[in-house]
Amino acid sequence: MANRPKLTRIPSMRDRVEDTLSAHRNEIVALLSRYVAQGKGILQPHDLLDELEKLITDDEARLALSEGPFVEVLKSAQNLDWDSERRSFVFYPCVQLSCKLRLDELTEILVLFWCQEAIIHPPFVALAVRPRPGVWEFVRVNVNELSVEQLSVSEYLSFKEELVDGRSNDRYVLELDFEPFNANFPRPTRSSSIGNGVQFLNRHLSSIMFRNKESLEPLVDFLRAHTYKGHALMLNDRIQSIPKLQSALVKAEDKLSKLPTETPYSEFEYVLQGLGFERGWGDTAEHVLEMMHLLLDTLQAPDPSTLETFLGRVPMVFNVVILSPHGYFGQANVLGLPDTGGQVVYILDQVRALENEMIRRIKRQGLNFTPRILIVTRLIPDAKGTTCNQRLERVAGTEHSHILRVPFRSENGILRKWISRFDVWPYLETFAEDVAGEITAELQGHPDFIIGNYSDGNLVASLLAYKMGVTQCTIAHALEKTKYPDSDIYWKKYDEKYHFSCQFTADLIAMNNADFIITSTYQEIAGTKNTVGQYESHSSFTLPGLYRVVHGINVFDPKFNIVSPGADMSIYFPYFDKEKRLTSLHGSIEKLLFDPEQNDEHIGLLNDPSKPILFSMARLDHVKNLTGLVESYAKNAKLRELVNLVLVAGYNDVKKSNDREEIVEIEKLHALIKEYNLNGQFRWLSSQTNRARNGELYRYVADNGGAFVQPALYEAFGLTVVEAMTCGLPTFATIHGGPAEIIEHGISGFHIDPYHSEQMAALMADFFQRSKDDPSHWKRISDGGLKRIYERYTWNIYSERLMTLTGVYGFWKYVSKLERLETRRYLEMFYILQFRDLVKTVPRAVDDPH
């Protein structure tokens, strides 16, 4: 008889660390002692590796340390590679760790480490270890006693809180834990499945239907529940059960199969009505048969793909509301104004694509309803020359979509001036109440689908969706907690300026209330195997003195879906598409770039206009890191010799800005220009709101062999990256966030790390030198970028996917009311008892006297 394999327990992180401590006591003590010597505080992955590098000074120590799994626990949040020429570690794509070791000795140490954070509280070192995306373990080492203990999430956060409040004996800390509500909720377990929620949900639903035919009954109820403004859709009262539905489908199939495929629905409408079918199945005999075959297949042998296709085609969505309260939301003269950038462009492009898809689907469904889309934002009476003081404005390029503006108001009346996105919290509850009345009047009923954008829009969407009982989708765009390191643990330091206690609370409410969440990239949800995702950072954290989040959001939740946007291809198209080029704008573009006059629109000179342009365009705030780009360029003599640098960003005069961050960045930019004597090689254009000209500007830069750079410290997606690549402009973009997924390094563009500016500048200089020596190199990267865009990033793909998701999650919402209701009651209590009190700490704005 063959020997049976021996079953062994998978060692915990505590076991692995203990084993290494036992085997390599001296080396580990030396390393941990270095951490403890730095005193109480938080160490990030790069801090941990800095000390590791200092420790590894001889071959014997390195080999001893690299043999055990403790190295895997400590390894940084970057990819590590070996540069044979430099004889040093290189953190792909640009961070170096010089260890001066022979190549043949490095095999073991070139393994990914997992530690994302270390809490130092002498003599203890607590480690937050992430073996893979979405999975965390916590251990604590007593360096004096060399003892190791496994910590729960709550214990780890409690230990972390001691950095702020000292040791506390209060055992009754408010803890948020959504896990009990989701314990029996189906979800995937593999990290590779994160962001593919709808596929998992379809597999789960079809599996249940296959195993238990009684579970198909809710599908009949779901189809019978469909009406629109008094019109019954899909099924009428003649069909009350699955057997009757199957019988009616077979009879309908027999009658329809005898008709010409293009026979319009009106010619057989009454026949189908007698069998129990109403409008919504299709506009022709062929399309109705397709839909009925999908349902018959689902009833007989449920299949995930068939189920998704069927639910995606069921007529459910005719009226859509999209929330985006903050900033100046308009179609002209707004881009570059405070808090007004990519999100506005995203939503306008989204709406145009979504309306086209809704019209196409409604026609194919055999219906003659008119879809409506309302973008709901804030009405700003002091509109600064924009249309933001108009209540209703049709979206250009659409027939049935409008911007609906509702003012912020308080007991003092309507707020007239713009306020920062960080200061909107006291107005949102009243705003939501006012919006509910406005959209009900405008649509003559409730919407079918609500989409929230950013923290404020998602909170308002949650309040409306809960009140109206409609499907809610959340789009974060950017979760601020990941932009500002340690802004949770040290929230009190930030709160007066940013009010993060309100924002993080609002984010938790919205992401847990949403029926589904769409992101542009995987990284937004769960980062990479070495970096933490935006949503993942909300799985557990603490706001000391307020509350502790033990289980905030689970990135394995099937509500997460990746749906990437594109660029408006009527504005952004390749530089070589000569017939579409807007050459009439070249005169104004050349004036922007080369006019020697210094004014509010442009400052700086380009002494050699023949040089290629390194170009960037973004809001002027800290996270966009344009000042970091300028400094990186200024310090690299070769890059300055090869190219001119052009920025499009904000104002160039502090007197014109009311935004706190922008003012700081304006002053910093002026200081850099002076310090590095950049005049002659650098041009600063104030924000440009003409999208058509901006598109041609990308192409103009491409004409002369230039490139685009997006140097943000963190970028959730990177719409300007997509725009530049769509125009054929070679693009460098941050590795921190979505651009790392958009770009394939060295194939469709380049990754840069803004935290290592010297390497960033060197990479750009190398590209321009190679392109100068061999112009085919520039074209190869340009063509690679275009290929990537056409495969993955178009609005047609986006809108079709969003409508399908709405159908699937609409059905899931219908069949799982109880589970979500429990969660929402918990959220309602949290909103009333916590969020409302936090809002009271935010000062209300006061209008300037006229």
Side-chain angles (χ1 to χ4, degrees):
M1 183 176 176
N3 293 331
R4 292 183 177 180
K6 186 178 179 180
L7 297 177
T8 58
R9 182 176 65 87
I10 297 174
S12 68
M13 196 57 62
R14 173 189 172 181
D15 296 333
R16 301 186 72 179
V17 174
E18 281 184 334
D19 290 346
T20 309
L21 277 170
S22 176
H24 305 292
R25 182 177 297 264
N26 288 333
E27 293 82 6
I28 300 303
V29 168
L31 181 60
L32 292 177
S33 297
R34 285 178 176 271
Y35 298 151
V36 171
Q38 297 192 31
K40 189 168 72 170
I42 301 174
L43 297 183
Q44 300 299 332
H46 64 273
D47 300 316
L48 299 171
L49 264 180
D50 286 346
E51 295 305 320
L52 179 62
E53 178 185 10
K54 293 172 187 175
L55 178 66
I56 302 176
T57 55
D58 60 69
D59 293 353
E60 185 178 346
R62 180 199 63 74
L63 288 171
L65 198 59
S66 65
E67 285 171 359
F70 192 77
V71 165
E72 297 179 21
V73 176
L74 294 176
K75 191 113 186 231
S76 152
Q78 299 287 342
N79 286 311
L80 191 62
D81 208 345
W82 173 252
D83 189 310
S84 57
E85 292 184 9
R86 295 192 179 107
R87 310 294 297 170
S88 65
F89 284 130
V90 177
F91 285 62
Y92 179 77
C94 50
V95 187
Q96 290 187 45
L97 177 65
S98 300
C99 289
K100 302 182 176 66
L101 299 173
R102 293 195 307 274
L103 184 59
D104 58 357
E105 295 177 331
L106 294 170
T107 305
E108 286 296 321
I109 207 164
L110 292 175
V111 182
L112 294 175
F113 299 146
W114 303 328
C115 185
Q116 294 297 327
E117 178 181 82
I119 306 300
I120 312 300
H121 205 309
F124 294 101
V125 177
L127 303 172
V129 182
R130 181 176 175 264
R132 60 188 176 93
V135 177
W136 292 80
E137 292 187 57
F138 305 94
V139 294
R140 181 167 61 190
V141 182
N142 184 320
V143 179
N144 291 347
E145 299 176 3
L146 290 187
S147 60
V148 185
E149 58 183 318
Q150 193 98 13
L151 300 180
S152 66
V153 178
S154 184
E155 289 168 337
Y156 178 80
L157 293 176
S158 176
F159 183 70
K160 189 174 183 179
E161 288 162 8
E162 292 180 24
L163 296 177
V164 178
D165 296 333
R167 193 169 185 85
S168 173
N169 294 319
D170 186 358
R171 291 178 297 168
Y172 298 99
V173 176
L174 174 61
E175 288 193 342
L176 278 185
D177 188 355
F178 290 94
E179 186 64 17
F181 298 104
N182 300 313
N184 298 319
F185 207 75
R187 59 190 175 211
T189 56
R190 293 183 305 156
S191 296
S192 59
S193 298
I194 293 171
N196 295 314
V198 75
Q199 288 95 324
F200 174 83
L201 207 52
N202 287 326
R203 287 197 300 271
H204 174 74
L205 289 170
S206 58
S207 174
I208 291 174
M209 291 174 175
F210 187 82
R211 293 196 309 268
N212 181 8
K213 295 301 181 183
E214 289 183 5
S215 65
L216 289 167
E217 291 294 342
L219 184 57
V220 178
D221 298 335
F222 177 69
L223 295 174
R224 288 180 61 240
H226 277 70
T227 62
Y228 180 66
K229 293 188 176 179
H231 299 278
L233 301 175
M234 302 304 289
L235 300 181
N236 58 40
D237 291 340
R238 292 176 184 272
I239 297 176
Q240 299 280 347
S241 65
I242 291 293
K244 287 187 178 180
L245 175 59
Q246 288 178 308
S247 173
L249 285 169
V250 171
K251 291 176 183 177
E253 180 185 31
D254 180 62
K255 293 181 182 297
L256 292 172
S257 61
K258 297 171 182 175
L259 299 175
T261 58
E262 294 302 315
T263 305
Y265 185 87
S266 57
E267 293 189 16
F268 52 84
E269 177 176 4
Y270 295 111
V271 174
L272 290 188
Q273 202 170 46
L275 292 173
F277 300 104
E278 297 291 340
R279 282 183 173 269
W281 294 87
D283 58 338
T284 65
E286 179 183 25
H287 290 158
V288 172
L289 266 176
E290 280 181 20
M291 191 69 167
M292 289 184 168
H293 285 157
L294 288 170
L295 183 54
L296 276 169
D297 291 344
T298 299
L299 295 174
Q300 291 168 6
D303 166 78
S305 177
T306 304
L307 180 63
E308 177 179 312
T309 304
F310 176 75
L311 291 175
R313 292 185 185 179
V314 174
M316 297 187 209
V317 180
F318 308 104
N319 294 320
V320 177
V321 167
I322 299 173
L323 277 301
S324 181
H326 73 264
Y328 291 87
F329 199 106
Q331 301 181 79
N333 305 319
V334 297
L335 296 182
L337 292 175
D339 289 341
T340 309
Q343 183 171 312
V344 172
V345 175
Y346 177 107
I347 293 171
L348 289 172
D349 288 346
Q350 173 197 49
V351 164
R352 294 184 186 102
L354 198 54
E355 183 186 279
N356 288 336
E357 180 66 15
M358 289 171 71
I359 290 171
R360 185 189 71 80
R361 287 183 179 230
I362 289 170
K363 180 181 180 301
R364 184 187 172 97
Q365 289 158 353
L367 304 172
N368 57 4
F369 304 144
T370 300
R372 289 291 308 277
I373 302 178
L374 293 178
I375 303 170
V376 179
T377 188
R378 181 193 162 203
L379 186 145
I380 307 175
D382 295 341
K384 294 201 172 212
T386 71
T387 58
C388 294
N389 56 0
Q390 295 179 17
R391 177 184 174 273
L392 199 64
E393 178 185 356
R394 188 169 67 84
V395 176
T398 70
E399 296 179 42
H400 315 294
S401 301
H402 294 80
I403 302 169
L404 173 65
R405 299 186 179 91
V406 179
F408 282 174
R409 66 177 178 87
S410 66
E411 62 275 6
N412 298 321
I414 290 173
L415 182 66
R416 298 189 57 82
K417 69 176 183 179
W418 166 88
I419 58 172
S420 165
R421 69 186 188 277
F422 298 118
D423 299 329
V424 300
W425 308 109
Y427 300 94
L428 294 184
E429 187 173 301
T430 304
F431 179 73
E433 293 169 359
D434 294 343
V435 165
E438 292 279 353
I439 62 176
T440 301
E442 194 66 34
L443 299 175
Q444 297 181 341
H446 287 170
D448 306 300
F449 182 38
I450 293 178
I451 305 173
N453 293 273
Y454 190 68
S455 303
D456 55 348
N458 286 323
L459 181 69
V460 175
S462 298
L463 296 174
L464 291 172
Y466 181 65
K467 178 179 180 178
M468 298 178 172
V470 300
T471 303
Q472 176 196 350
C473 168
T474 285
I475 306 175
H477 295 281
L479 291 165
E480 298 291 346
K481 196 165 85 67
T482 50
K483 289 185 181 181
Y484 297 83
D486 302 326
S487 54
D488 48 6
I489 184 75
Y490 297 119
W491 67 272
K492 291 176 184 176
K493 181 176 76 174
Y494 291 92
D495 223 45
E496 183 178 354
K497 183 176 181 181
Y498 295 112
H499 311 299
F500 282 154
S501 61
C502 289
Q503 186 153 9
F504 299 167
T505 304
D507 287 332
L508 275 175
I509 291 170
M511 64 181 69
N512 280 285
N513 192 75
D515 295 295
F516 67 99
I517 296 170
I518 65 171
T519 68
S520 300
T521 62
Y522 180 97
Q523 290 198 39
E524 242 181 287
I525 308 169
T528 67
K529 60 185 176 182
N530 309 306
T531 59
V532 181
Q534 284 193 70
Y535 279 97
E536 187 181 10
S537 74
H538 291 72
S539 61
S540 62
F541 66 95
T542 181
L543 301 180
L546 277 183
Y547 57 82
R548 186 184 296 159
V549 180
V550 177
H551 292 107
I553 189 73
N554 190 326
V555 295
F556 290 95
D557 195 309
K559 69 169 60 180
F560 284 104
N561 290 275
I562 301 165
V563 186
S564 301
D568 182 345
M569 291 190 174
S570 66
I571 300 290
Y572 305 100
F573 50 86
Y575 67 94
F576 50 75
D577 194 344
K578 300 299 183 183
E579 291 184 4
K580 294 172 68 175
R581 289 291 298 269
L582 305 174
T583 53
S584 61
L585 297 175
H586 284 196
S588 64
I589 288 173
E590 288 166 359
K591 185 176 181 181
L592 275 177
L593 293 172
F594 307 120
D595 188 343
E597 182 183 349
Q598 308 293 290
N599 54 35
D600 289 344
E601 191 171 22
H602 44 72
I603 62 172
L605 295 172
L606 303 180
N607 290 339
D608 185 357
S610 67
K611 289 200 301 190
I613 288 173
L614 180 61
F615 171 55
S616 191
M617 178 161 54
R619 287 195 321 273
L620 194 52
D621 62 28
H622 169 72
V623 173
K624 295 300 183 184
N625 192 40
L626 293 180
T627 51
L629 169 64
V630 171
E631 187 166 14
S632 174
Y633 170 83
K635 289 180 176 180
N636 190 299
K638 182 161 187 172
L639 188 59
R640 291 177 67 167
E641 176 190 336
L642 287 166
V643 297
N644 293 317
L645 177 62
V646 174
L647 296 190
V648 177
Y651 296 106
N652 59 42
D653 183 353
V654 291
K655 295 174 184 175
K656 290 188 171 292
S657 178
N658 295 318
D659 185 87
R660 295 182 291 256
E661 277 197 30
E662 185 177 52
I663 289 169
V664 172
E665 296 299 302
I666 292 170
E667 292 172 342
K668 197 185 297 184
L669 261 179
H670 282 289
L672 288 169
I673 294 169
K674 185 176 181 181
E675 179 182 355
Y676 292 101
N677 191 25
L678 290 175
N679 201 22
Q681 297 170 312
F682 173 65
R683 183 77 157 183
W684 178 2
L685 310 179
S686 294
S687 292
Q688 301 297 304
T689 58
N690 185 329
R691 291 183 73 210
R693 189 167 69 176
N694 286 345
E696 192 60 27
L697 179 57
Y698 282 117
R699 292 183 288 273
Y700 186 93
V701 172
D703 288 338
N704 199 30
F708 182 79
V709 56
Q710 207 277 30
L713 301 176
Y714 184 86
E715 184 65 46
F717 177 59
L719 195 54
T720 54
V721 171
V722 173
E723 290 171 355
M725 292 170 68
T726 305
C727 292
L729 195 56
T731 300
F732 298 81
T734 180
I735 58 166
H736 301 292
E741 283 179 50
I742 298 171
I743 288 174
E744 305 152 293
H745 184 71
I747 299 172
S748 53
F750 299 94
H751 298 156
I752 54 174
D753 188 340
Y755 289 102
H756 297 84
S757 60
E758 289 184 14
Q759 291 87 348
M760 177 172 80
L763 184 67
M764 292 188 288
D766 178 69
F767 167 77
F768 282 109
Q769 185 63 58
R770 287 184 65 185
S771 298
K772 183 178 180 180
D773 298 339
D774 177 13
S776 68
H777 179 64
W778 185 97
K779 189 174 187 306
R780 188 160 53 249
I781 299 299
S782 170
D783 290 346
L786 283 166
K787 181 174 182 288
R788 181 72 168 170
I789 291 297
Y790 294 145
E791 289 174 349
R792 297 280 294 273
Y793 301 99
T794 74
W795 281 111
N796 287 339
I797 297 171
Y798 175 101
S799 57
E800 191 279 332
R801 195 71 192 136
L802 181 58
M803 291 297 290
T804 297
L805 291 175
T806 306
V808 175
Y809 285 97
F811 176 65
W812 180 253
K813 182 184 181 76
Y814 184 86
V815 299
S816 62
K817 291 175 184 175
L818 181 61
E819 292 91 337
R820 291 302 188 190
L821 181 61
E822 292 167 346
T823 304
R824 285 179 175 131
R825 293 297 287 177
Y826 186 67
L827 288 168
E828 184 181 29
M829 180 174 66
F830 184 49
Y831 175 87
I832 292 169
L833 297 180
Q834 185 67 262
F835 181 76
R836 284 178 127 200
D837 283 343
L838 290 174
V839 165
K840 293 174 185 175
T841 68
V842 181
R844 289 184 180 267
V846 177
D847 281 315
D848 302 322
H850 288 279

